[in-house]
Amino acid sequence: MKIYLDVCCLNRPFDDQTQDRMRLETEAIDVFLTTDDKLIRKANHLAGQLNVVVDNPLSWLSGQRETK
């Protein structure tokens, strides 16, 4: 599992995905962890358009533990 930690590109999943570079950088990640509730709500609203899981680190880690 790849985890995206590059803080200079926090909004990459929300950038214009018609640009090849933006799309490729977005596809390079599997999960985007944030404690920003507003960002999580926006991601949930756009879930059908995103190819990345956006979650709170504690929720995500808890879910990972439960699946193993």
Short mmCIF file of all heavy atoms in Angstrom, two decimals:
data_model
loop_
_atom_site.label_atom_id
_atom_site.label_comp_id
_atom_site.label_asym_id
_atom_site.label_seq_id
_atom_site.Cartn_x
_atom_site.Cartn_y
_atom_site.Cartn_z
N MET A 1 0.84 -1.17 0.00
CA MET A 1 0.00 0.00 0.00
C MET A 1 0.89 1.23 0.00
O MET A 1 1.81 1.34 0.79
CB MET A 1 -0.90 -0.01 1.23
CG MET A 1 -1.54 1.30 1.49
SD MET A 1 -3.31 1.49 1.64
CE MET A 1 -4.06 0.03 1.22
N LYS A 2 0.59 2.17 -0.89
CA LYS A 2 1.32 3.43 -0.95
C LYS A 2 0.56 4.47 -0.15
O LYS A 2 -0.66 4.57 -0.25
CB LYS A 2 1.44 3.91 -2.39
CG LYS A 2 2.19 2.97 -3.28
CD LYS A 2 2.15 3.51 -4.70
CE LYS A 2 2.20 2.37 -5.67
NZ LYS A 2 1.81 2.76 -7.00
N ILE A 3 1.26 5.25 0.63
CA ILE A 3 0.66 6.34 1.40
C ILE A 3 1.31 7.63 0.97
O ILE A 3 2.53 7.75 0.97
CB ILE A 3 0.84 6.13 2.92
CG1 ILE A 3 0.19 4.82 3.34
CG2 ILE A 3 0.23 7.31 3.68
CD1 ILE A 3 0.42 4.46 4.78
N TYR A 4 0.50 8.59 0.59
CA TYR A 4 0.98 9.86 0.08
C TYR A 4 1.26 10.81 1.24
O TYR A 4 0.35 11.13 2.00
CB TYR A 4 -0.08 10.44 -0.85
CG TYR A 4 0.31 11.68 -1.58
CD1 TYR A 4 1.27 11.63 -2.57
CD2 TYR A 4 -0.29 12.89 -1.29
CE1 TYR A 4 1.62 12.76 -3.27
CE2 TYR A 4 0.06 14.01 -1.98
CZ TYR A 4 1.01 13.95 -2.98
OH TYR A 4 1.34 15.07 -3.67
N LEU A 5 2.51 11.25 1.41
CA LEU A 5 2.87 12.12 2.52
C LEU A 5 3.47 13.46 2.08
O LEU A 5 3.89 14.23 2.90
CB LEU A 5 3.88 11.41 3.43
CG LEU A 5 3.39 10.13 4.10
CD1 LEU A 5 4.52 9.45 4.85
CD2 LEU A 5 2.24 10.43 5.04
N ASP A 6 3.49 13.73 0.80
CA ASP A 6 4.08 14.95 0.27
C ASP A 6 3.14 16.13 0.56
O ASP A 6 2.17 16.35 -0.14
CB ASP A 6 4.31 14.80 -1.23
CG ASP A 6 5.01 16.00 -1.83
OD1 ASP A 6 5.25 16.98 -1.10
OD2 ASP A 6 5.31 15.95 -3.02
N VAL A 7 3.44 16.89 1.59
CA VAL A 7 2.55 17.96 2.03
C VAL A 7 2.47 19.14 1.07
O VAL A 7 1.58 19.96 1.19
CB VAL A 7 2.90 18.45 3.45
CG1 VAL A 7 2.69 17.36 4.46
CG2 VAL A 7 4.31 19.00 3.50
N CYS A 8 3.38 19.23 0.11
CA CYS A 8 3.30 20.34 -0.84
C CYS A 8 2.21 20.13 -1.88
O CYS A 8 1.86 21.03 -2.62
CB CYS A 8 4.65 20.61 -1.49
SG CYS A 8 5.17 19.34 -2.64
N CYS A 9 1.65 18.95 -1.95
CA CYS A 9 0.61 18.64 -2.95
C CYS A 9 -0.66 18.13 -2.29
O CYS A 9 -1.29 17.21 -2.78
CB CYS A 9 1.13 17.62 -3.94
SG CYS A 9 2.53 18.17 -4.89
N LEU A 10 -1.05 18.73 -1.18
CA LEU A 10 -2.20 18.23 -0.44
C LEU A 10 -3.50 18.22 -1.23
O LEU A 10 -4.38 17.41 -0.98
CB LEU A 10 -2.40 19.05 0.84
CG LEU A 10 -1.36 18.85 1.92
CD1 LEU A 10 -1.62 19.78 3.09
CD2 LEU A 10 -1.34 17.41 2.40
N ASN A 11 -3.60 19.09 -2.19
CA ASN A 11 -4.85 19.16 -2.96
C ASN A 11 -4.79 18.43 -4.29
O ASN A 11 -5.68 18.57 -5.11
CB ASN A 11 -5.23 20.63 -3.19
CG ASN A 11 -5.73 21.28 -1.95
OD1 ASN A 11 -6.50 20.70 -1.21
ND2 ASN A 11 -5.27 22.48 -1.69
N ARG A 12 -3.75 17.65 -4.53
CA ARG A 12 -3.59 16.99 -5.83
C ARG A 12 -4.84 16.22 -6.27
O ARG A 12 -5.24 16.33 -7.42
CB ARG A 12 -2.37 16.07 -5.82
CG ARG A 12 -2.06 15.47 -7.16
CD ARG A 12 -1.77 16.52 -8.23
NE ARG A 12 -0.45 17.06 -8.04
CZ ARG A 12 -0.13 18.36 -8.24
NH1 ARG A 12 -1.02 19.20 -8.66
NH2 ARG A 12 1.09 18.78 -8.04
N PRO A 13 -5.51 15.47 -5.40
CA PRO A 13 -6.71 14.76 -5.86
C PRO A 13 -7.83 15.71 -6.30
O PRO A 13 -8.74 15.31 -7.01
CB PRO A 13 -7.15 13.94 -4.64
CG PRO A 13 -5.90 13.77 -3.86
CD PRO A 13 -5.13 15.05 -4.06
N PHE A 14 -7.76 16.97 -5.90
CA PHE A 14 -8.80 17.94 -6.23
C PHE A 14 -8.39 18.84 -7.39
O PHE A 14 -9.16 19.70 -7.81
CB PHE A 14 -9.15 18.78 -5.01
CG PHE A 14 -9.62 17.95 -3.86
CD1 PHE A 14 -8.77 17.66 -2.80
CD2 PHE A 14 -10.90 17.42 -3.84
CE1 PHE A 14 -9.20 16.87 -1.74
CE2 PHE A 14 -11.34 16.63 -2.79
CZ PHE A 14 -10.47 16.36 -1.74
N ASP A 15 -7.18 18.69 -7.91
CA ASP A 15 -6.71 19.50 -9.03
C ASP A 15 -7.34 19.03 -10.34
O ASP A 15 -7.96 17.97 -10.41
CB ASP A 15 -5.17 19.43 -9.13
CG ASP A 15 -4.49 20.18 -8.02
OD1 ASP A 15 -5.12 21.07 -7.41
OD2 ASP A 15 -3.31 19.87 -7.73
N ASP A 16 -7.14 19.81 -11.38
CA ASP A 16 -7.68 19.53 -12.70
C ASP A 16 -7.11 18.21 -13.23
O ASP A 16 -5.95 18.15 -13.63
CB ASP A 16 -7.34 20.68 -13.64
CG ASP A 16 -7.88 20.49 -15.04
OD1 ASP A 16 -8.60 19.50 -15.28
OD2 ASP A 16 -7.58 21.34 -15.89
N GLN A 17 -7.93 17.17 -13.26
CA GLN A 17 -7.47 15.84 -13.65
C GLN A 17 -7.36 15.67 -15.17
O GLN A 17 -6.95 14.62 -15.64
CB GLN A 17 -8.38 14.77 -13.06
CG GLN A 17 -8.40 14.76 -11.55
CD GLN A 17 -7.04 14.48 -10.94
OE1 GLN A 17 -6.42 13.47 -11.25
NE2 GLN A 17 -6.56 15.36 -10.09
N THR A 18 -7.72 16.71 -15.93
CA THR A 18 -7.55 16.63 -17.38
C THR A 18 -6.09 16.86 -17.77
O THR A 18 -5.69 16.54 -18.89
CB THR A 18 -8.44 17.65 -18.12
OG1 THR A 18 -8.08 18.98 -17.72
CG2 THR A 18 -9.91 17.37 -17.82
N GLN A 19 -5.30 17.41 -16.86
CA GLN A 19 -3.87 17.61 -17.11
C GLN A 19 -3.14 16.31 -16.77
O GLN A 19 -3.31 15.76 -15.68
CB GLN A 19 -3.33 18.76 -16.27
CG GLN A 19 -3.94 20.10 -16.60
CD GLN A 19 -3.36 21.20 -15.74
OE1 GLN A 19 -2.21 21.15 -15.35
NE2 GLN A 19 -4.19 22.19 -15.45
N ASP A 20 -2.34 15.81 -17.71
CA ASP A 20 -1.67 14.52 -17.52
C ASP A 20 -0.87 14.44 -16.23
O ASP A 20 -0.95 13.45 -15.50
CB ASP A 20 -0.76 14.21 -18.71
CG ASP A 20 -1.53 13.87 -19.96
OD1 ASP A 20 -2.71 13.49 -19.84
OD2 ASP A 20 -0.95 13.99 -21.06
N ARG A 21 -0.09 15.46 -15.93
CA ARG A 21 0.75 15.42 -14.72
C ARG A 21 -0.11 15.30 -13.46
O ARG A 21 0.20 14.53 -12.56
CB ARG A 21 1.61 16.68 -14.65
CG ARG A 21 2.44 16.72 -13.39
CD ARG A 21 3.30 17.95 -13.32
NE ARG A 21 3.88 18.03 -11.99
CZ ARG A 21 4.26 19.16 -11.43
NH1 ARG A 21 4.17 20.28 -12.08
NH2 ARG A 21 4.76 19.15 -10.22
N MET A 22 -1.17 16.09 -13.39
CA MET A 22 -2.05 16.05 -12.21
C MET A 22 -2.68 14.67 -12.06
O MET A 22 -2.73 14.11 -10.98
CB MET A 22 -3.15 17.11 -12.31
CG MET A 22 -2.69 18.49 -12.56
SD MET A 22 -1.60 19.08 -11.26
CE MET A 22 -1.21 20.68 -11.92
N ARG A 23 -3.16 14.13 -13.19
CA ARG A 23 -3.82 12.82 -13.15
C ARG A 23 -2.84 11.73 -12.73
O ARG A 23 -3.16 10.89 -11.89
CB ARG A 23 -4.42 12.50 -14.52
CG ARG A 23 -5.20 11.21 -14.56
CD ARG A 23 -5.77 10.92 -15.93
NE ARG A 23 -4.84 11.15 -17.03
CZ ARG A 23 -3.83 10.34 -17.36
NH1 ARG A 23 -3.61 9.26 -16.65
NH2 ARG A 23 -3.04 10.62 -18.38
N LEU A 24 -1.63 11.75 -13.29
CA LEU A 24 -0.63 10.72 -12.96
C LEU A 24 -0.22 10.81 -11.50
O LEU A 24 -0.05 9.78 -10.83
CB LEU A 24 0.58 10.85 -13.87
CG LEU A 24 0.34 10.46 -15.33
CD1 LEU A 24 1.55 10.82 -16.17
CD2 LEU A 24 0.01 8.99 -15.43
N GLU A 25 -0.03 12.02 -10.98
CA GLU A 25 0.34 12.17 -9.57
C GLU A 25 -0.79 11.73 -8.65
O GLU A 25 -0.56 11.17 -7.59
CB GLU A 25 0.76 13.60 -9.28
CG GLU A 25 2.10 13.95 -9.91
CD GLU A 25 2.54 15.37 -9.63
OE1 GLU A 25 1.84 16.10 -8.92
OE2 GLU A 25 3.62 15.74 -10.14
N THR A 26 -2.02 11.97 -9.07
CA THR A 26 -3.17 11.53 -8.28
C THR A 26 -3.27 10.02 -8.27
O THR A 26 -3.53 9.40 -7.24
CB THR A 26 -4.47 12.15 -8.82
OG1 THR A 26 -4.36 13.57 -8.77
CG2 THR A 26 -5.68 11.70 -8.02
N GLU A 27 -3.05 9.39 -9.43
CA GLU A 27 -3.14 7.94 -9.54
C GLU A 27 -2.01 7.22 -8.80
O GLU A 27 -2.12 6.04 -8.51
CB GLU A 27 -3.12 7.53 -11.01
CG GLU A 27 -4.38 7.90 -11.75
CD GLU A 27 -4.28 7.64 -13.23
OE1 GLU A 27 -3.22 7.17 -13.70
OE2 GLU A 27 -5.27 7.90 -13.93
N ALA A 28 -0.96 7.93 -8.48
CA ALA A 28 0.20 7.32 -7.83
C ALA A 28 -0.04 7.03 -6.35
O ALA A 28 0.77 6.40 -5.70
CB ALA A 28 1.43 8.21 -7.98
N ILE A 29 -1.18 7.47 -5.83
CA ILE A 29 -1.44 7.28 -4.40
C ILE A 29 -2.65 6.38 -4.21
O ILE A 29 -3.53 6.32 -5.05
CB ILE A 29 -1.63 8.62 -3.66
CG1 ILE A 29 -2.80 9.41 -4.23
CG2 ILE A 29 -0.37 9.44 -3.72
CD1 ILE A 29 -3.15 10.64 -3.47
N ASP A 30 -2.68 5.68 -3.09
CA ASP A 30 -3.80 4.81 -2.74
C ASP A 30 -4.67 5.41 -1.65
O ASP A 30 -5.86 5.15 -1.58
CB ASP A 30 -3.30 3.45 -2.27
CG ASP A 30 -2.61 2.67 -3.35
OD1 ASP A 30 -3.03 2.78 -4.52
OD2 ASP A 30 -1.65 1.96 -3.05
N VAL A 31 -4.05 6.16 -0.76
CA VAL A 31 -4.80 6.73 0.36
C VAL A 31 -4.24 8.12 0.68
O VAL A 31 -3.04 8.35 0.57
CB VAL A 31 -4.76 5.81 1.60
CG1 VAL A 31 -3.35 5.65 2.14
CG2 VAL A 31 -5.70 6.29 2.69
N PHE A 32 -5.13 9.02 1.01
CA PHE A 32 -4.78 10.39 1.37
C PHE A 32 -5.28 10.61 2.79
O PHE A 32 -6.49 10.57 3.04
CB PHE A 32 -5.46 11.35 0.38
CG PHE A 32 -5.20 12.80 0.61
CD1 PHE A 32 -4.17 13.43 -0.06
CD2 PHE A 32 -5.97 13.54 1.48
CE1 PHE A 32 -3.92 14.77 0.13
CE2 PHE A 32 -5.73 14.87 1.68
CZ PHE A 32 -4.70 15.50 1.00
N LEU A 33 -4.39 10.77 3.75
CA LEU A 33 -4.77 10.91 5.15
C LEU A 33 -4.72 12.38 5.56
O LEU A 33 -3.75 13.08 5.29
CB LEU A 33 -3.83 10.09 6.04
CG LEU A 33 -3.79 8.60 5.73
CD1 LEU A 33 -2.77 7.90 6.62
CD2 LEU A 33 -5.16 7.97 5.90
N THR A 34 -5.78 12.82 6.23
CA THR A 34 -5.86 14.20 6.68
C THR A 34 -6.71 14.29 7.94
O THR A 34 -7.59 13.47 8.15
CB THR A 34 -6.46 15.11 5.59
OG1 THR A 34 -6.49 16.46 6.06
CG2 THR A 34 -7.86 14.69 5.20
N THR A 35 -6.43 15.28 8.75
CA THR A 35 -7.26 15.55 9.92
C THR A 35 -8.20 16.71 9.67
O THR A 35 -8.91 17.14 10.56
CB THR A 35 -6.39 15.84 11.16
OG1 THR A 35 -5.54 16.95 10.88
CG2 THR A 35 -5.57 14.63 11.57
N ASP A 36 -8.22 17.21 8.44
CA ASP A 36 -9.07 18.34 8.05
C ASP A 36 -10.47 17.82 7.74
O ASP A 36 -10.71 17.25 6.68
CB ASP A 36 -8.44 19.04 6.83
CG ASP A 36 -9.21 20.27 6.41
OD1 ASP A 36 -10.41 20.40 6.75
OD2 ASP A 36 -8.62 21.11 5.72
N ASP A 37 -11.40 18.03 8.67
CA ASP A 37 -12.76 17.52 8.49
C ASP A 37 -13.44 18.11 7.26
O ASP A 37 -14.22 17.43 6.59
CB ASP A 37 -13.61 17.81 9.74
CG ASP A 37 -13.20 16.97 10.92
OD1 ASP A 37 -12.64 15.87 10.71
OD2 ASP A 37 -13.44 17.40 12.07
N LYS A 38 -13.17 19.38 6.96
CA LYS A 38 -13.77 20.01 5.78
C LYS A 38 -13.30 19.31 4.51
O LYS A 38 -14.09 19.05 3.60
CB LYS A 38 -13.40 21.49 5.74
CG LYS A 38 -14.03 22.25 4.60
CD LYS A 38 -13.66 23.72 4.66
CE LYS A 38 -14.25 24.47 3.48
NZ LYS A 38 -13.83 25.87 3.47
N LEU A 39 -12.03 18.98 4.45
CA LEU A 39 -11.48 18.27 3.29
C LEU A 39 -12.07 16.87 3.18
O LEU A 39 -12.40 16.41 2.08
CB LEU A 39 -9.96 18.21 3.39
CG LEU A 39 -9.23 17.53 2.25
CD1 LEU A 39 -9.46 18.27 0.94
CD2 LEU A 39 -7.74 17.46 2.55
N ILE A 40 -12.23 16.18 4.30
CA ILE A 40 -12.82 14.84 4.29
C ILE A 40 -14.26 14.89 3.79
O ILE A 40 -14.68 14.08 2.97
CB ILE A 40 -12.73 14.18 5.68
CG1 ILE A 40 -11.27 13.90 6.03
CG2 ILE A 40 -13.56 12.90 5.73
CD1 ILE A 40 -11.05 13.45 7.46
N ARG A 41 -15.03 15.89 4.25
CA ARG A 41 -16.42 16.03 3.79
C ARG A 41 -16.46 16.31 2.29
O ARG A 41 -17.29 15.75 1.56
CB ARG A 41 -17.13 17.14 4.56
CG ARG A 41 -17.56 16.75 5.97
CD ARG A 41 -18.51 17.76 6.58
NE ARG A 41 -17.94 19.10 6.67
CZ ARG A 41 -17.19 19.56 7.68
NH1 ARG A 41 -16.91 18.76 8.70
NH2 ARG A 41 -16.74 20.79 7.68
N LYS A 42 -15.56 17.17 1.81
CA LYS A 42 -15.51 17.48 0.38
C LYS A 42 -15.16 16.22 -0.42
O LYS A 42 -15.76 15.95 -1.46
CB LYS A 42 -14.50 18.58 0.10
CG LYS A 42 -14.46 19.03 -1.33
CD LYS A 42 -13.55 20.21 -1.53
CE LYS A 42 -13.56 20.68 -2.97
NZ LYS A 42 -12.69 21.84 -3.18
N ALA A 43 -14.21 15.46 0.08
CA ALA A 43 -13.82 14.22 -0.60
C ALA A 43 -14.97 13.23 -0.62
O ALA A 43 -15.19 12.54 -1.63
CB ALA A 43 -12.60 13.61 0.08
N ASN A 44 -15.69 13.11 0.48
CA ASN A 44 -16.84 12.20 0.52
C ASN A 44 -17.90 12.63 -0.48
O ASN A 44 -18.53 11.80 -1.13
CB ASN A 44 -17.43 12.13 1.93
CG ASN A 44 -16.54 11.36 2.88
OD1 ASN A 44 -15.75 10.53 2.48
ND2 ASN A 44 -16.66 11.66 4.16
N HIS A 45 -18.10 13.94 -0.61
CA HIS A 45 -19.07 14.47 -1.57
C HIS A 45 -18.65 14.15 -3.01
O HIS A 45 -19.49 13.90 -3.87
CB HIS A 45 -19.20 15.99 -1.37
CG HIS A 45 -20.15 16.64 -2.31
ND1 HIS A 45 -21.52 16.47 -2.21
CD2 HIS A 45 -19.94 17.44 -3.37
CE1 HIS A 45 -22.10 17.15 -3.17
NE2 HIS A 45 -21.17 17.76 -3.90
N LEU A 46 -17.34 14.15 -3.26
CA LEU A 46 -16.80 13.91 -4.61
C LEU A 46 -16.28 12.49 -4.78
O LEU A 46 -15.54 12.21 -5.72
CB LEU A 46 -15.67 14.90 -4.89
CG LEU A 46 -16.03 16.37 -4.87
CD1 LEU A 46 -14.78 17.23 -4.97
CD2 LEU A 46 -16.99 16.69 -6.01
N ALA A 47 -16.67 11.58 -3.90
CA ALA A 47 -16.12 10.22 -3.89
C ALA A 47 -16.20 9.52 -5.24
O ALA A 47 -15.29 8.80 -5.62
CB ALA A 47 -16.81 9.38 -2.82
N GLY A 48 -17.26 9.74 -5.98
CA GLY A 48 -17.40 9.10 -7.28
C GLY A 48 -16.42 9.62 -8.33
O GLY A 48 -16.18 8.97 -9.34
N GLN A 49 -15.83 10.78 -8.06
CA GLN A 49 -14.91 11.39 -9.02
C GLN A 49 -13.45 11.19 -8.62
O GLN A 49 -12.56 11.48 -9.42
CB GLN A 49 -15.20 12.88 -9.13
CG GLN A 49 -16.60 13.19 -9.61
CD GLN A 49 -16.89 14.67 -9.55
OE1 GLN A 49 -16.02 15.50 -9.68
NE2 GLN A 49 -18.16 14.99 -9.33
N LEU A 50 -13.20 10.74 -7.40
CA LEU A 50 -11.83 10.57 -6.91
C LEU A 50 -11.40 9.11 -7.02
O LEU A 50 -12.20 8.21 -6.79
CB LEU A 50 -11.73 11.01 -5.45
CG LEU A 50 -12.04 12.47 -5.15
CD1 LEU A 50 -11.99 12.72 -3.65
CD2 LEU A 50 -11.08 13.39 -5.87
N ASN A 51 -10.15 8.92 -7.32
CA ASN A 51 -9.60 7.56 -7.39
C ASN A 51 -8.68 7.30 -6.21
O ASN A 51 -7.74 6.51 -6.31
CB ASN A 51 -8.82 7.37 -8.69
CG ASN A 51 -9.72 7.40 -9.89
OD1 ASN A 51 -10.84 6.94 -9.82
ND2 ASN A 51 -9.25 7.96 -10.98
N VAL A 52 -8.96 7.95 -5.11
CA VAL A 52 -8.12 7.82 -3.92
C VAL A 52 -9.02 7.84 -2.69
O VAL A 52 -10.03 8.52 -2.66
CB VAL A 52 -7.06 8.94 -3.87
CG1 VAL A 52 -7.70 10.30 -3.76
CG2 VAL A 52 -6.07 8.73 -2.76
N VAL A 53 -8.66 7.08 -1.69
CA VAL A 53 -9.37 7.08 -0.42
C VAL A 53 -8.89 8.28 0.39
O VAL A 53 -7.69 8.49 0.55
CB VAL A 53 -9.10 5.78 0.37
CG1 VAL A 53 -9.71 5.84 1.75
CG2 VAL A 53 -9.61 4.59 -0.41
N VAL A 54 -9.82 9.09 0.87
CA VAL A 54 -9.48 10.23 1.73
C VAL A 54 -10.10 9.92 3.09
O VAL A 54 -11.29 9.69 3.20
CB VAL A 54 -10.03 11.55 1.16
CG1 VAL A 54 -9.69 12.71 2.09
CG2 VAL A 54 -9.49 11.80 -0.23
N ASP A 55 -9.26 9.91 4.12
CA ASP A 55 -9.76 9.51 5.44
C ASP A 55 -8.94 10.16 6.54
O ASP A 55 -7.83 10.64 6.31
CB ASP A 55 -9.66 7.98 5.57
CG ASP A 55 -10.64 7.41 6.58
OD1 ASP A 55 -11.29 8.18 7.32
OD2 ASP A 55 -10.75 6.17 6.63
N ASN A 56 -9.50 10.13 7.73
CA ASN A 56 -8.80 10.56 8.93
C ASN A 56 -7.79 9.47 9.28
O ASN A 56 -8.12 8.28 9.20
CB ASN A 56 -9.81 10.74 10.06
CG ASN A 56 -9.16 11.12 11.36
OD1 ASN A 56 -8.54 10.30 12.01
ND2 ASN A 56 -9.31 12.38 11.73
N PRO A 57 -6.57 9.82 9.67
CA PRO A 57 -5.56 8.79 9.96
C PRO A 57 -6.01 7.76 10.99
O PRO A 57 -5.75 6.56 10.83
CB PRO A 57 -4.36 9.58 10.48
CG PRO A 57 -4.53 10.95 9.93
CD PRO A 57 -6.02 11.16 9.83
N LEU A 58 -6.70 8.20 12.04
CA LEU A 58 -7.13 7.24 13.07
C LEU A 58 -8.20 6.29 12.55
O LEU A 58 -8.16 5.09 12.82
CB LEU A 58 -7.63 7.99 14.30
CG LEU A 58 -6.57 8.77 15.07
CD1 LEU A 58 -7.20 9.55 16.22
CD2 LEU A 58 -5.48 7.84 15.59
N SER A 59 -9.14 6.83 11.78
CA SER A 59 -10.18 5.98 11.21
C SER A 59 -9.59 4.98 10.23
O SER A 59 -9.96 3.80 10.22
CB SER A 59 -11.22 6.84 10.48
OG SER A 59 -11.83 7.74 11.37
N TRP A 60 -8.68 5.46 9.39
CA TRP A 60 -8.07 4.59 8.39
C TRP A 60 -7.26 3.48 9.06
O TRP A 60 -7.37 2.31 8.70
CB TRP A 60 -7.18 5.42 7.46
CG TRP A 60 -6.48 4.60 6.44
CD1 TRP A 60 -7.00 4.12 5.27
CD2 TRP A 60 -5.13 4.14 6.49
NE1 TRP A 60 -6.05 3.40 4.59
CE2 TRP A 60 -4.89 3.39 5.31
CE3 TRP A 60 -4.09 4.29 7.40
CZ2 TRP A 60 -3.67 2.80 5.05
CZ3 TRP A 60 -2.87 3.70 7.13
CH2 TRP A 60 -2.67 2.97 5.96
N LEU A 61 -6.45 3.83 10.05
CA LEU A 61 -5.63 2.85 10.74
C LEU A 61 -6.50 1.83 11.46
O LEU A 61 -6.23 0.63 11.42
CB LEU A 61 -4.68 3.53 11.73
CG LEU A 61 -3.70 2.63 12.46
CD1 LEU A 61 -2.82 1.87 11.47
CD2 LEU A 61 -2.84 3.43 13.41
N SER A 62 -7.57 2.29 12.08
CA SER A 62 -8.50 1.38 12.75
C SER A 62 -9.09 0.39 11.75
O SER A 62 -9.19 -0.81 12.03
CB SER A 62 -9.61 2.18 13.43
OG SER A 62 -10.57 1.34 13.98
N GLY A 63 -9.47 0.89 10.58
CA GLY A 63 -10.03 0.01 9.54
C GLY A 63 -9.01 -0.98 9.03
O GLY A 63 -9.34 -2.13 8.74
N GLN A 64 -7.75 -0.57 8.93
CA GLN A 64 -6.69 -1.46 8.47
C GLN A 64 -6.45 -2.58 9.48
O GLN A 64 -6.22 -3.72 9.11
CB GLN A 64 -5.39 -0.67 8.25
CG GLN A 64 -5.42 0.30 7.12
CD GLN A 64 -5.69 -0.39 5.79
OE1 GLN A 64 -4.97 -1.29 5.40
NE2 GLN A 64 -6.74 0.03 5.11
N ARG A 65 -6.52 -2.25 10.73
CA ARG A 65 -6.33 -3.26 11.78
C ARG A 65 -7.45 -4.28 11.78
O ARG A 65 -7.24 -5.46 12.02
CB ARG A 65 -6.22 -2.60 13.15
CG ARG A 65 -4.91 -1.92 13.36
CD ARG A 65 -4.83 -1.35 14.74
NE ARG A 65 -3.48 -0.93 15.03
CZ ARG A 65 -3.12 -0.33 16.15
NH1 ARG A 65 -4.03 -0.09 17.08
NH2 ARG A 65 -1.88 0.02 16.35
N GLU A 66 -8.68 -3.81 11.54
CA GLU A 66 -9.83 -4.69 11.54
C GLU A 66 -9.81 -5.68 10.38
O GLU A 66 -10.29 -6.79 10.49
CB GLU A 66 -11.13 -3.90 11.50
CG GLU A 66 -11.40 -3.15 12.79
CD GLU A 66 -12.64 -2.27 12.70
OE1 GLU A 66 -13.35 -2.31 11.67
OE2 GLU A 66 -12.89 -1.55 13.67
N THR A 67 -9.23 -5.26 9.25
CA THR A 67 -9.22 -6.14 8.08
C THR A 67 -8.13 -7.18 8.14
O THR A 67 -8.09 -8.10 7.33
CB THR A 67 -9.07 -5.32 6.77
OG1 THR A 67 -7.85 -4.59 6.81
CG2 THR A 67 -10.23 -4.39 6.57
N LYS A 68 -7.19 -7.05 9.06
CA LYS A 68 -6.09 -8.02 9.15
C LYS A 68 -6.29 -9.01 10.24
O LYS A 68 -7.04 -9.13 11.00
CB LYS A 68 -4.77 -7.28 9.38
CG LYS A 68 -4.41 -6.50 8.14
CD LYS A 68 -3.06 -5.88 8.29
CE LYS A 68 -2.77 -5.16 6.98
NZ LYS A 68 -1.47 -4.71 6.83
#
